[in-house]
Amino acid sequence: MTEQLIPGAVTLDQLARLYRSGGAAALDASCRGTIDRAAGRVAAAAMAEAPVYGVNTGFGKLASLKIDRDDTAKLQRNLILSHCCGVGEPIPAHMARLVMILKLLSFGRGASGVRWALIETLEGMLAQGVTPIIPAQGSVGASGDLAPLAHMAAVLIGEGEAMYDGAVLPGAEALARAGLSPVTLGPKEGLALINGTQFSTAFALAGLFEAWRAVENALVISAMSTDAIMGSTAPLQPEIHALRGQKGQIEAAAAMRALLAGSEIRESHREGDSRVQDPYCIRCQPQVTGAAMDVLRQAATTLEIEANAATDNPLVLSGADMIVSGGNFHAEPVGFAADMIALAISEIGAISQRRVALMVDPTLSFDLPPFLTPDPGLNSGLMIAEVTTAALMSENKHLANPCVTDSTPTSANQEDHVSMAAHGAYRLGRMVANLNRILGVELLCAAQGIEFRAPLQSSGPLHKVLARLRRDVSTLTDDRYLATDIEAAARLVSGGGLIAASGLELAGPGA
């Protein structure tokens, strides 16, 4: 099924659906009139004598050089080919498709001056499964994501490489096999294709969607950890959180209350428990996870706007009947959003790692056996799994350092401040993978801890989560090869299986 996109009004839910499904998308026909008028304005400018950047001039530092009207098509083709300078591993196919969809959305605003035929070719590639091979590295996030978008654009003109029907093919061959024809670029069309923040925005959105899923998992797993160490639910009292008023904190506490309701383990130590307070990693879960939720929602607001934005240059201003050079290609908003997401990912992992450390430490875990093994000494249990979480947590702390502050001048100082949004967003995938493994180890520890509390049972929702885990990972008795257990738990986290088992209902990042 092809998702219909209304430019300027596409929601995070739609984008998340397209990201996860890898489905096709097309612009709603209602935007065609605006697009055609802008394309006509560019065509007229190309025939005129007045210089218009990117239409009949060179690019960047060469903008002062006038190009003959007979060379405008070659100008655009040369632009694409010369900017195909990306390096590194190709990005995943579903991410390349999301980049293409975001480019469609940008064109749909009717300010780029491209012809409808170009849009139809891009839509056709999505529909037929022609996916450009786009290297991951090469963009500094200003003047657009030039190198990666050039690799995307190259396939439209029959150059570069694309994946089609499971094979990597030359661009022209991939188009031909799919029944599509290369585009001969019109005035400004090459520039419109490579100017824009779509690569950075796509990876920031992916980071957002995966981080939000990690938040949901963190709420479920941390509730299990609370029961495993026989923690108190008193800090989840609604009035505590209402008195502060932070939305995410209130939601996190409510979710944990629901997840823990009816736990026999909790009821067993309401009286006679010598402990006065739990450590912060248990007691302050709503404050920390809730704050991360709030930060992710702030980033979500920026990214939803950016996904719907016209971010190439120059832009056709229909109201003023002008073609004007501006700076919407500068990805500073995306860079800030990516850094915010990185901070949230890092902190969710940091507090999760402390819960792992708590559960494996017999001096802190309230009578759980050392390293959660029934026969400590002969067996090491989850000792080194905890060390792995410490390594991943530390790596994420380093990766969370801001990228947006790391500007450097490029293009002979014409582009003298850049956002670094591209690798700021790209790193989020690695960070989320680390986080999912930290949460996976916490899940293994919490499950062991709850089982050691038998015959007492956890709550109904958490019992279902434990049962779901045990379908993939059996209880740890004697030591065994644990790497596969950790990966299986991490897959449950990333795939959403635990959330489904728990019945957790949490409003999304766009709420």
Side-chain angles (χ1 to χ4, degrees), residues 175-217:
L175 290 174
R177 289 195 187 185
L180 301 170
S181 299
V183 172
T184 299
L185 297 174
K188 190 189 172 293
E189 288 183 338
L191 190 59
L193 283 164
I194 69 170
N195 250 318
T197 66
Q198 287 75 39
F199 180 91
S200 297
T201 304
F203 278 93
L205 284 167
L208 171 69
F209 299 145
E210 298 298 348
W212 193 262
R213 178 167 285 182
V215 161
E216 294 175 313
N217 278 287

Side-chain angles (χ1 to χ4, degrees), residues 66 69 131 234 253 367 370 422 440 470 474 510:
K66 185 78 162 47
R69 68 182 61 172
T131 305
D367 299 328
R470 291 298 176 230
S474 62

Side-chain angles (χ1 to χ4, degrees), residues 1 3-5 10-24 98 101 209:
M1 180 178 175
E3 185 97 21
Q4 292 298 305
L5 307 176
V10 170
T11 66
L12 285 175
D13 285 344
Q14 282 181 279
L15 293 167
R17 187 162 57 245
L18 287 164
Y19 162 70
R20 296 204 183 278
S21 70
L98 184 58
I101 288 166
F209 299 145

Side-chain angles (χ1 to χ4, degrees), residues 93-453:
H94 73 283
M95 290 304 305
R97 291 175 66 82
L98 184 58
V99 172
M100 296 163 71
I101 288 166
L102 293 176
K103 181 55 76 175
L104 272 180
L105 268 179
S106 183
F107 287 164
R109 295 301 298 272
S112 299
V114 301
R115 294 164 298 150
W116 191 256
L118 178 65
I119 289 169
E120 287 180 322
T121 300
L122 200 53
E123 291 174 342
M125 290 170 62
L126 285 165
Q128 299 302 319
V130 178
T131 305
I133 301 297
I134 303 176
Q137 296 169 278
S139 174
V140 295
S143 280
D145 293 315
L146 296 172
L149 292 179
H151 284 272
M152 179 201 76
V155 178
L156 274 85
I157 64 172
E159 300 287 348
E161 292 183 318
M163 176 73 71
Y164 178 71
D165 199 21
V168 176
L169 304 170
E173 184 177 348
L175 290 174
R177 289 195 187 185
L180 301 170
S181 299
V183 172
T184 299
L185 297 174
K188 190 189 172 293
E189 288 183 338
L191 190 59
L193 283 164
I194 69 170
N195 250 318
T197 66
Q198 287 75 39
F199 180 91
S200 297
T201 304
F203 278 93
L205 284 167
L208 171 69
F209 299 145
E210 298 298 348
W212 193 262
R213 178 167 285 182
V215 161
E216 294 175 313
N217 278 287
L219 291 171
V220 173
I221 296 168
S222 63
M224 293 179 69
S225 299
T226 300
D227 245 7
I229 62 103
M230 288 188 153
S232 175
T233 55
L236 302 178
Q237 287 292 322
E239 191 173 357
I240 293 174
H241 308 286
L243 283 167
R244 192 174 207 179
Q246 297 287 357
K247 179 182 177 181
Q249 178 179 327
I250 292 168
E251 287 180 286
M256 293 187 68
R257 285 196 304 275
L259 288 164
L260 284 159
S263 167
E264 292 178 0
I265 296 173
R266 173 61 186 121
E267 295 305 319
S268 73
H269 63 98
R270 284 190 184 273
E271 303 293 336
D273 193 330
S274 61
R275 297 169 296 171
V276 177
Q277 294 179 327
D278 291 318
Y280 288 1
C281 67
I282 297 295
R283 189 176 5 139
C284 299
Q285 291 173 83
Q287 287 81 359
V288 176
T289 307
M293 290 164 60
D294 289 338
V295 167
L296 290 174
R297 282 181 170 145
Q298 291 172 43
T301 297
T302 295
L303 294 176
E304 186 174 66
I305 293 169
E306 191 73 9
N308 284 282
T311 57
D312 67 283
N313 182 63
L315 292 173
V316 181
L317 308 182
S318 298
D321 193 27
M322 299 170 63
I323 303 175
V324 181
S325 288
N328 281 4
F329 51 71
H330 199 298
E332 196 83 354
V334 183
F336 275 122
D339 282 348
M340 292 164 68
I341 295 167
L343 291 171
I345 292 170
S346 181
E347 280 298 274
I348 296 164
I351 195 169
S352 172
Q353 199 282 328
R354 296 319 303 155
R355 292 190 293 268
V356 172
L358 181 73
M359 287 185 281
V360 301
D361 186 344
T363 64
L364 299 172
S365 64
F366 202 57
D367 299 328
L368 291 175
F371 305 107
L372 298 166
T373 175
D375 189 9
L378 178 62
N379 293 288
S380 296
L382 291 162
M383 178 190 294
I384 304 305
E386 184 270 330
V387 175
T388 296
T389 65
L392 296 174
M393 174 190 69
S394 183
E395 182 178 318
N396 271 3
K397 287 180 180 178
H398 287 283
L399 289 170
N401 281 304
C403 294
V404 79
T405 56
D406 189 27
S407 177
T408 186
T410 62
S411 193
N413 282 299
Q414 176 76 5
E415 297 150 12
D416 58 353
H417 182 279
V418 299
S419 72
M420 296 300 178
H423 68 259
Y426 186 75
R427 67 171 161 170
L428 298 176
R430 179 176 170 186
M431 292 186 71
V432 169
N434 288 343
L435 174 56
N436 287 339
R437 291 185 172 101
I438 294 170
L439 290 170
V441 172
E442 184 186 356
L443 173 64
L444 296 175
C445 291
Q448 288 283 117
I450 287 173
E451 288 173 335
F452 278 121
R453 302 299 181 187

Side-chain angles (χ1 to χ4, degrees), residues 421-504:
H423 68 259
Y426 186 75
R427 67 171 161 170
L428 298 176
R430 179 176 170 186
M431 292 186 71
V432 169
N434 288 343
L435 174 56
N436 287 339
R437 291 185 172 101
I438 294 170
L439 290 170
V441 172
E442 184 186 356
L443 173 64
L444 296 175
C445 291
Q448 288 283 117
I450 287 173
E451 288 173 335
F452 278 121
R453 302 299 181 187
L456 296 173
Q457 297 290 312
S458 188
S459 67
L462 297 184
H463 180 75
K464 291 177 181 177
V465 172
L466 179 57
R468 178 62 189 88
L469 170 66
R470 291 298 176 230
R471 283 163 48 190
D472 294 356
V473 181
S474 62
T475 301
L476 182 63
T477 51
D478 292 333
D479 281 349
R480 63 177 183 245
Y481 187 81
L482 282 178
T484 50
D485 289 6
I486 293 171
E487 288 304 310
R491 283 194 299 273
L492 269 178
V493 170
S494 64
L498 291 184
I499 302 165
S502 74
L504 175 69

